Amino acid sequence: MLKVLILGGTSEAAELASRLDADGRFEPVTSLAGRTRSPRPVPGGRRRGGFGGAAGMAAYLRSEGVAAVVDATHPFAMQISEHAREACGKIACPLARLTRLPWTAGAEDDWREVETVAAAASVLAPGARAFVTTGRQELGPFLSREDIWILVRVIDPLDEPLLPERGTVLSARGPFTADDEVGLMREHGIEWLVSKNSGGRSSYAKIEAARQLRLPVIMVRQPVLSAGGQVYQSPDAVIDWLGGISD
Ligand code: NAP
């Protein structure tokens, strides 16, 4: 069986793990950064926590006899993808990236596109009430804006709660429907949505909800990764590629 390391943390990674686990040719092991205290179970093997940079990942790949790596991490998780490129290059381990096409704005969408999360915080209108969905690790620029009120949704509670006059933190785990998101944004009087352009289906409902409510969206563009490995947009395409390695 071909041992495949899946760099995970996304719904696409979980789908790939499930497909590979059900296919007798492959032995998938999903690696998670360990940011979520109780992550959803994934089929196949699992490991948690950083590798210790590219050198640590290369050592892991060798010692565990990994035959191929699939980088299915979030499009904004740049560092782990760069480490995978370096580690696989160093020990000549086949690498593919399972990624998602970015979302595109339709005629009814009102998007303000920016390059970084910090820029997103700076373009919010004075006094805005914003639903900030860019992740718990990047709240700093929004907390520095003392004139705005933010709604934040996280899986595990924040270590320090927000003062009520600065915002509200909800603990919830998706997926959410567009109706859920419309209800939530109405309940909190949201005037702006801030989102990363993550692409894919699993977190698109908030974009649909903003469209229905005619709210402006501050959209952080996907970063550009350096080239390295094959790039695929579906688990099927990755499985075909892995099939070629196992033959
Ligand atoms: P990052 O900035 O690219 O990675 C920072 C460090 O965390 C890496 O150098 C690595 O540590 C460790 N790491 C990250 N992903 C890992 C994985 N799958 N397995 C083992 N170690 C991992 O990543 P991030 O933006 O913090 O994202 C962390 C995880 O959350 C990823 O798995 C990603 O798919 C998921 N996620 C991220 C976002 C986002 O917006 N960034 C959104 C949803 C989900 P070492 O150098 O020690 O190996």
Side-chain angles (χ1 to χ4, degrees):
M1 287 215 288
L2 196 80
K3 191 161 186 177
V4 180
L5 178 69
I6 302 171
L7 300 171
T10 59
S11 55
E12 289 79 6
E15 188 185 337
L16 180 66
S18 157
R19 296 277 305 277
L20 294 186
D21 192 50
D23 185 323
R25 294 172 295 168
F26 307 115
E27 182 190 345
V29 177
T30 297
S31 175
L32 298 173
R35 309 260 189 270
T36 306
R37 272 181 226 152
S38 325
R40 282 210 176 91
V42 285
R46 199 173 84 179
R47 67 167 298 289
R48 263 167 84 89
F51 295 91
M57 191 188 295
Y60 172 89
L61 297 175
R62 271 212 186 104
S63 68
E64 295 294 318
V66 172
V69 177
V70 181
D71 174 11
T73 55
H74 191 270
F76 283 74
M78 297 282 281
Q79 206 172 306
I80 187 74
S81 295
E82 183 56 32
H83 291 173
R85 196 180 65 80
E86 266 181 65
C88 290
K90 193 170 165 191
I91 62 162
C93 180
L95 168 69
R97 181 155 173 78
L98 172 57
T99 186
R100 323 141 162 191
L101 289 176
W103 301 317
T104 51
E108 294 176 357
D109 291 314
D110 173 9
W111 287 13
R112 326 282 159 95
E113 292 190 84
V114 295
E115 302 302 324
T116 61
V117 171
S122 71
V123 302
L124 278 171
R129 288 178 75 86
F131 183 19
V132 174
T133 64
T134 44
R136 61 189 297 137
Q137 294 184 89
E138 289 172 280
L139 286 177
F142 301 96
L143 297 175
S144 307
R145 281 278 311 262
E146 293 194 2
D147 61 315
I148 63 171
W149 185 95
I150 59 174
L151 172 64
V152 178
R153 184 170 56 203
V154 285
I155 296 178
D156 297 319
L158 294 184
D159 296 335
E160 280 187 41
L162 292 184
L163 292 173
E165 61 274 24
R166 302 298 313 283
T168 290
V169 181
L170 301 176
S171 290
R173 196 195 290 251
F176 305 100
T177 66
D179 284 349
D180 294 335
E181 301 291 48
V182 165
L184 182 71
M185 292 191 216
R186 280 207 174 115
E187 182 188 341
H188 292 279
I190 296 300
E191 301 159 335
W192 296 75
L193 171 66
V194 183
S195 176
K196 288 177 174 170
N197 192 336
S198 302
R201 292 181 308 272
S202 62
S203 62
Y204 189 65
K206 60 185 181 237
I207 310 298
E208 288 181 286
R211 184 184 308 134
Q212 283 181 35
L213 293 169
R214 298 182 184 281
L215 297 183
V217 179
I218 302 179
M219 187 64 83
V220 185
R221 286 200 181 93
Q222 278 192 12
V224 179
L225 278 176
S226 3
Q230 306 288 324
V231 180
Y232 298 109
Q233 255 98 40
S234 73
D236 281 336
V238 171
I239 292 167
D240 282 351
W241 172 77
L242 288 170
I245 297 171
S246 70
D247 288 341

Coordinates of all heavy atoms in Angstrom, one line a residue, residues 22-64:
A22 N -10.8 4.3 1.8 CA -11.7 3.3 1.2 C -11.1 2.6 0.0 O -11.7 1.6 -0.5 CB -13.0 3.9 0.8
D23 N -9.9 3.0 -0.4 CA -9.3 2.5 -1.6 C -8.1 1.6 -1.2 O -7.2 2.1 -0.6 CB -8.8 3.7 -2.5 CG -8.3 3.3 -3.8 OD1 -7.6 2.3 -3.9 OD2 -8.5 4.0 -4.8
G24 N -8.2 0.3 -1.5 CA -7.2 -0.6 -1.0 C -5.7 -0.3 -1.4 O -4.8 -0.9 -0.8
R25 N -5.5 0.6 -2.3 CA -4.2 0.9 -2.8 C -3.4 1.8 -1.9 O -2.2 2.0 -1.9 CB -4.2 1.5 -4.2 CG -4.7 0.6 -5.3 CD -4.9 1.3 -6.6 NE -5.9 2.4 -6.5 CZ -6.1 3.3 -7.4 NH1 -5.3 3.4 -8.5 NH2 -7.1 4.2 -7.2
F26 N -4.2 2.5 -1.0 CA -3.5 3.7 -0.3 C -3.7 3.6 1.2 O -4.7 3.1 1.8 CB -4.1 5.0 -0.7 CG -4.1 5.2 -2.2 CD1 -5.3 5.2 -3.0 CD2 -2.9 5.3 -2.9 CE1 -5.3 5.4 -4.3 CE2 -2.9 5.4 -4.3 CZ -4.0 5.5 -5.0
E27 N -2.7 4.1 1.9 CA -2.7 4.2 3.4 C -2.6 5.7 3.7 O -1.5 6.2 3.8 CB -1.6 3.4 4.0 CG -1.6 3.4 5.5 CD -0.2 2.8 6.0 OE1 0.5 2.2 5.3 OE2 0.0 3.1 7.2
P28 N -3.7 6.4 3.9 CA -3.6 7.9 4.2 C -3.3 8.2 5.6 O -3.8 7.5 6.5 CB -5.0 8.4 3.8 CG -5.9 7.3 4.1 CD -5.1 6.0 3.8
V29 N -2.5 9.2 5.8 CA -2.3 9.8 7.2 C -2.5 11.3 7.1 O -1.9 11.9 6.3 CB -0.8 9.5 7.7 CG1 -0.6 10.2 9.0 CG2 -0.5 8.1 7.7
T30 N -3.5 11.8 7.8 CA -3.8 13.2 7.8 C -3.0 14.0 8.9 O -3.0 13.6 10.0 CB -5.3 13.5 8.0 OG1 -6.0 12.9 6.9 CG2 -5.6 15.0 8.0
S31 N -2.3 15.0 8.5 CA -1.6 15.9 9.5 C -2.4 17.1 9.7 O -2.7 17.9 8.8 CB -0.2 16.2 8.9 OG 0.4 17.1 9.8
L32 N -2.6 17.4 11.0 CA -3.3 18.7 11.4 C -2.4 19.5 12.2 O -1.6 19.0 13.0 CB -4.5 18.3 12.2 CG -5.6 17.5 11.5 CD1 -6.7 17.1 12.5 CD2 -6.2 18.3 10.4
A33 N -2.5 20.8 12.1 CA -1.6 21.7 12.8 C -1.9 21.6 14.3 O -1.0 21.9 15.1 CB -1.9 23.2 12.3
G34 N -3.1 21.3 14.7 CA -3.4 21.2 16.1 C -4.0 22.4 16.7 O -4.0 22.7 17.9
R35 N -4.6 23.3 15.8 CA -5.2 24.5 16.3 C -6.5 24.3 17.0 O -6.9 25.1 17.8 CB -5.4 25.5 15.1 CG -4.2 25.7 14.3 CD -3.5 27.0 14.6 NE -2.5 27.3 13.6 CZ -1.2 26.8 13.6 NH1 -0.8 26.2 14.7 NH2 -0.4 27.1 12.7
T36 N -7.3 23.3 16.5 CA -8.6 23.0 17.1 C -8.5 21.9 18.1 O -7.9 20.9 17.9 CB -9.5 22.6 15.9 OG1 -9.5 23.5 14.9 CG2 -11.0 22.4 16.4
R37 N -9.1 22.2 19.3 CA -8.9 21.2 20.4 C -9.5 19.8 20.1 O -8.9 18.8 20.4 CB -9.6 21.7 21.7 CG -8.6 22.6 22.5 CD -9.2 23.1 23.7 NE -8.9 24.6 23.8 CZ -9.7 25.4 24.4 NH1 -10.8 25.1 25.0 NH2 -9.3 26.7 24.5
S38 N -10.7 19.8 19.6 CA -11.3 18.5 19.2 C -11.7 18.5 17.7 O -12.8 18.7 17.4 CB -12.6 18.2 20.0 OG -12.5 18.7 21.3
P39 N -10.7 18.2 16.9 CA -11.0 18.2 15.5 C -11.9 17.1 15.1 O -12.0 16.1 15.8 CB -9.6 18.1 14.8 CG -8.7 17.5 15.8 CD -9.3 17.9 17.2
R40 N -12.7 17.3 14.0 CA -13.5 16.2 13.5 C -12.7 15.0 13.2 O -11.6 15.1 12.6 CB -14.2 16.6 12.2 CG -15.4 17.5 12.4 CD -16.4 17.3 11.3 NE -17.6 18.1 11.6 CZ -17.8 19.3 11.2 NH1 -16.9 19.9 10.4 NH2 -18.8 20.0 11.5
P41 N -13.1 13.8 13.5 CA -12.3 12.6 13.1 C -12.2 12.4 11.6 O -13.1 12.8 10.9 CB -13.1 11.4 13.7 CG -14.4 12.0 14.2 CD -14.4 13.4 14.2
V42 N -11.1 12.0 11.2 CA -10.9 11.7 9.7 C -10.5 10.2 9.6 O -9.8 9.7 10.4 CB -9.8 12.6 9.1 CG1 -10.2 14.0 8.9 CG2 -8.5 12.5 9.8
P43 N -11.0 9.6 8.5 CA -10.6 8.2 8.3 C -9.1 8.0 8.0 O -8.5 9.0 7.5 CB -11.4 7.8 7.0 CG -12.4 8.9 6.8 CD -11.9 10.1 7.5
G44 N -8.6 6.9 8.4 CA -7.1 6.6 8.2 C -6.3 7.1 9.4 O -6.9 7.5 10.4
G45 N -5.0 7.2 9.2 CA -4.2 7.6 10.3 C -4.2 9.1 10.5 O -4.7 9.9 9.6
R46 N -3.7 9.6 11.7 CA -3.8 11.0 11.9 C -2.6 11.4 12.8 O -2.1 10.6 13.7 CB -5.0 11.3 12.7 CG -5.4 12.8 12.6 CD -6.7 13.1 13.2 NE -6.6 13.2 14.7 CZ -7.6 13.5 15.5 NH1 -8.8 13.6 15.0 NH2 -7.4 13.6 16.8
R47 N -2.0 12.5 12.6 CA -1.0 13.1 13.4 C -1.3 14.6 13.7 O -2.0 15.2 12.9 CB 0.4 12.9 12.9 CG 0.7 13.7 11.6 CD 2.1 13.8 11.2 NE 3.0 14.4 12.2 CZ 3.0 15.7 12.4 NH1 2.2 16.5 11.8 NH2 3.8 16.2 13.3
R48 N -0.8 15.1 14.8 CA -1.1 16.5 15.1 C 0.2 17.3 15.4 O 1.1 16.8 16.0 CB -1.9 16.5 16.4 CG -3.4 16.6 16.1 CD -4.1 16.3 17.4 NE -4.2 17.5 18.3 CZ -5.2 18.4 18.3 NH1 -6.2 18.2 17.4 NH2 -5.2 19.4 19.1
G49 N 0.2 18.6 15.1 CA 1.3 19.5 15.5 C 2.3 19.6 14.4 O 2.4 18.8 13.4
G50 N 3.1 20.7 14.5 CA 4.1 21.1 13.5 C 5.2 20.0 13.4 O 5.3 19.2 14.3
F51 N 5.9 20.0 12.3 CA 7.0 19.0 12.0 C 8.3 19.6 12.5 O 9.3 18.9 12.5 CB 7.1 18.7 10.5 CG 5.8 18.0 9.9 CD1 4.8 18.8 9.4 CD2 5.8 16.7 9.9 CE1 3.7 18.1 8.9 CE2 4.6 16.0 9.4 CZ 3.6 16.8 8.9
G52 N 8.3 20.9 12.7 CA 9.6 21.6 13.0 C 10.2 22.0 11.7 O 11.4 21.7 11.4
G53 N 9.5 22.7 10.9 CA 10.0 23.3 9.6 C 10.2 22.2 8.5 O 9.8 21.1 8.7
A54 N 10.7 22.7 7.4 CA 10.9 21.8 6.2 C 11.8 20.6 6.5 O 11.6 19.5 6.1 CB 11.4 22.6 5.0
A55 N 12.9 20.9 7.3 CA 13.8 19.8 7.6 C 13.1 18.8 8.5 O 13.3 17.5 8.3 CB 15.0 20.4 8.4
G56 N 12.3 19.2 9.4 CA 11.5 18.3 10.3 C 10.6 17.4 9.4 O 10.4 16.2 9.7
M57 N 9.9 18.1 8.5 CA 9.0 17.4 7.6 C 9.7 16.3 6.8 O 9.3 15.2 6.6 CB 8.2 18.3 6.7 CG 7.0 17.6 6.0 SD 6.2 18.5 4.8 CE 5.5 19.9 5.7
A58 N 10.9 16.7 6.2 CA 11.7 15.8 5.4 C 12.1 14.5 6.2 O 11.9 13.4 5.8 CB 12.9 16.5 4.8
A59 N 12.5 14.8 7.5 CA 12.9 13.7 8.4 C 11.7 12.8 8.6 O 11.8 11.5 8.6 CB 13.4 14.2 9.7
Y60 N 10.5 13.4 8.9 CA 9.3 12.6 9.1 C 8.9 11.7 7.9 O 8.6 10.5 8.0 CB 8.1 13.5 9.4 CG 6.8 12.9 9.5 CD1 6.3 12.3 10.7 CD2 6.0 12.7 8.4 CE1 5.1 11.7 10.8 CE2 4.8 12.1 8.4 CZ 4.3 11.5 9.6 OH 3.1 10.9 9.7
L61 N 9.0 12.3 6.7 CA 8.6 11.6 5.5 C 9.5 10.4 5.3 O 9.1 9.3 5.0 CB 8.8 12.5 4.2 CG 7.8 13.7 4.2 CD1 8.1 14.6 3.0 CD2 6.4 13.3 4.2
R62 N 10.8 10.6 5.6 CA 11.8 9.4 5.5 C 11.5 8.4 6.5 O 11.3 7.2 6.2 CB 13.2 10.0 5.7 CG 13.8 10.5 4.4 CD 15.4 10.2 4.5 NE 16.0 10.8 3.4 CZ 16.7 11.9 3.4 NH1 16.9 12.6 4.6 NH2 17.3 12.4 2.3
S63 N 11.4 8.8 7.8 CA 11.3 7.8 8.8 C 9.9 7.0 8.7 O 9.8 5.9 9.1 CB 11.5 8.4 10.2 OG 10.4 9.3 10.5
E64 N 8.9 7.7 8.2 CA 7.6 7.0 8.2 C 7.4 6.3 6.8 O 6.3 5.8 6.6 CB 6.5 8.1 8.4 CG 6.4 8.7 9.8 CD 6.1 7.7 10.9 OE1 5.2 6.9 10.7 OE2 6.8 7.7 11.9

